[in-house]
Amino acid sequence: MNRKTKGKKSTFVLDFVNKVDSIQESFQNFYETTILSEETDPNLVYDILDNIRNYGLFTSQEINDWSSIFYQDKRKDDGILQPILNVVIKRWEGLSQEIKDESRSQVSNYCKLYGYVSMVHQFDNIELERHYIFLEYLRKKFPVESMDKLDVSNLVDLESLTLEVKNKQYIILENQDTLFEPHSYGTGGGKDEEEFDLLSEIIQNINDLYGNVPEGTEESSRKLLTDMVNDEEFVQVVNSDNTDSNKRDKLKKIYEGKNIHTLDVSTKLYEYFENKENKDRLIQLFISRPDLMNQLRG
């Protein structure tokens, strides 16, 4: 999006992938006035929090204790926040799959709704804020059992860009207002039924971002990833309460120890995974997405 500024006569939209119909449909809703049919009810925040409490994942005392630690003036890192969160996760793991999906969805709903409504509505209840902060930390610890296609694009720094104009076309939008209904919050977990071969997905993303692994070494690349995620020390480091910097240092040693064995297969494969950029990106992927290990370990 090229916003209007001094010296620019108009605003233009540059789209890299979408088809004309898709662009038209997406922008039409916001071409004229966008209207919300009714206000979002702030009381929904209380309703969702009550639903979460009914799962028995935590006690009021645990919320108080955790909040006291969170607001400590001398708290240096988040490591001391983890014990209570880990206890809650243990309780969650003991629930049925259906209740786990529902409770995880409700926690996400609460964080999203409170974060939105609190910007436009003044809540005179400190407990809502305390639960919001606690649940934001908690939901980061939920394992993801089903996922959309893996996206590692946020781990990439753009170093070069080539622009080529393929076609120019005007898209006509209609002069009409759009009416939206307020978002509704159910209890479903919203599980994605489509299954992905995660190893192939990771390899494909690496190929797309950094160039293909050496021809004929795809299976060896999968084996390297499998060996890493099945290494107990590797798993312990990723799931530890250490800082990301400390994790990176330890994981790098394990990674390099595993990669040295690829020399038996291909020197080019070894050099590919030993490349600093590839190594750092892959390690950061597992640090930011520890749930991938459980899925890859099968």
Side-chain angles (χ1 to χ4, degrees):
M1 181 70 73
N2 184 10
R3 300 185 182 279
K4 296 184 70 173
T5 187
K6 185 177 180 181
K8 295 180 180 178
K9 298 181 179 180
S10 62
T11 298
F12 72 87
V13 176
L14 179 63
D15 186 88
F16 296 91
V17 178
N18 296 350
K19 297 180 180 179
V20 172
D21 291 343
S22 176
I23 299 173
Q24 184 178 38
E25 181 180 355
S26 298
F27 279 87
Q28 179 61 58
N29 290 336
F30 308 98
Y31 182 54
E32 292 290 339
T33 306
T34 303
I35 304 170
L36 194 63
S37 63
E38 58 181 299
E39 295 180 353
T40 299
D41 186 2
N43 289 321
L44 283 175
V45 173
Y46 292 94
D47 294 340
I48 296 176
L49 183 56
D50 286 341
N51 291 338
I52 295 173
R53 284 169 170 162
N54 290 336
Y55 294 116
L57 296 175
F58 50 80
T59 65
S60 297
Q61 186 60 51
E62 286 170 330
I63 294 293
N64 292 336
D65 293 343
W66 189 90
S67 298
S68 297
I69 297 172
F70 179 83
Y71 288 109
Q72 283 181 4
D73 292 335
K74 296 182 180 180
R75 181 172 64 87
K76 295 182 179 180
D77 59 60
D78 291 343
I80 56 177
L81 298 172
Q82 303 307 313
I84 293 178
L85 294 173
N86 291 338
V87 169
V88 176
I89 289 296
K90 283 291 185 183
R91 293 188 189 123
W92 178 82
E93 290 174 343
L95 301 175
S96 68
Q97 188 59 53
E98 180 181 1
I99 300 302
K100 284 198 291 187
D101 290 339
E102 287 184 5
S103 58
R104 180 170 54 191
S105 177
Q106 289 289 287
V107 168
S108 179
N109 287 343
Y110 179 83
C111 292
K112 292 177 181 178
L113 183 61
Y114 180 84
Y116 164 68
V117 175
S118 62
M119 292 189 293
V120 295
H121 178 83
Q122 181 65 45
F123 287 106
D124 296 322
N125 188 337
I126 190 63
E127 288 303 309
L128 295 180
E129 178 71 16
R130 286 153 65 99
H131 279 81
Y132 169 68
I133 297 174
F134 176 80
L135 294 175
E136 277 285 14
Y137 273 79
L138 179 65
R139 70 172 181 160
K140 295 176 182 177
K141 297 184 72 71
F142 284 135
V144 180
E145 297 181 355
S146 129
M147 55 179 288
D148 292 328
K149 287 192 173 182
L150 189 65
D151 179 14
V152 297
S153 58
N154 62 322
L155 304 177
V156 179
D157 295 323
L158 185 63
E159 295 182 351
S160 63
L161 178 66
T162 300
L163 299 179
E164 182 179 354
V165 178
K166 294 287 188 180
N167 182 40
K168 291 182 179 181
Q169 181 174 347
Y170 289 102
I171 301 176
I172 306 300
L173 300 177
E174 299 179 9
N175 294 317
Q176 61 183 29
D177 297 337
T178 302
L179 185 68
F180 284 109
E181 297 293 333
H183 183 69
S184 59
Y185 294 87
T187 59
K191 295 186 67 177
D192 186 355
E193 295 182 357
E194 184 176 3
E195 297 181 356
F196 299 102
D197 182 342
L198 290 178
L199 288 174
S200 298
E201 192 71 24
I202 292 175
I203 295 297
Q204 183 59 48
N205 275 274
I206 293 175
N207 288 344
D208 292 343
L209 296 171
Y210 313 126
N212 291 339
V213 296
E215 184 177 357
T217 64
E218 291 82 0
E219 190 61 37
S220 296
S221 300
R222 293 187 180 91
K223 184 179 184 304
L224 173 61
L225 293 174
T226 302
D227 287 346
M228 280 193 287
V229 299
N230 282 286
D231 186 282
E232 291 302 324
E233 185 181 1
F234 189 93
V235 174
Q236 290 175 6
V237 173
V238 172
N239 290 326
S240 70
D241 297 331
N242 294 328
T243 63
D244 284 358
S245 176
N246 186 276
K247 290 181 181 180
R248 276 192 293 270
D249 291 339
K250 293 182 178 181
L251 293 178
K252 188 175 295 185
K253 294 180 180 179
I254 301 173
Y255 177 103
E256 292 171 348
K258 298 290 183 183
N259 189 36
I260 194 70
H261 297 296
T262 61
L263 279 171
D264 298 332
V265 178
S266 167
T267 301
K268 291 183 178 180
L269 180 62
Y270 169 79
E271 293 174 347
Y272 179 89
F273 279 103
E274 194 62 21
N275 176 275
K276 184 179 185 303
E277 184 179 21
N278 292 354
K279 183 194 308 182
D280 291 346
R281 297 284 193 259
L282 195 54
I283 290 175
Q284 182 59 38
L285 172 63
F286 283 113
I287 292 176
S288 62
R289 293 293 309 281
D291 55 281
L292 286 177
M293 285 190 308
N294 294 329
Q295 298 179 68
L296 293 174
R297 283 159 65 93

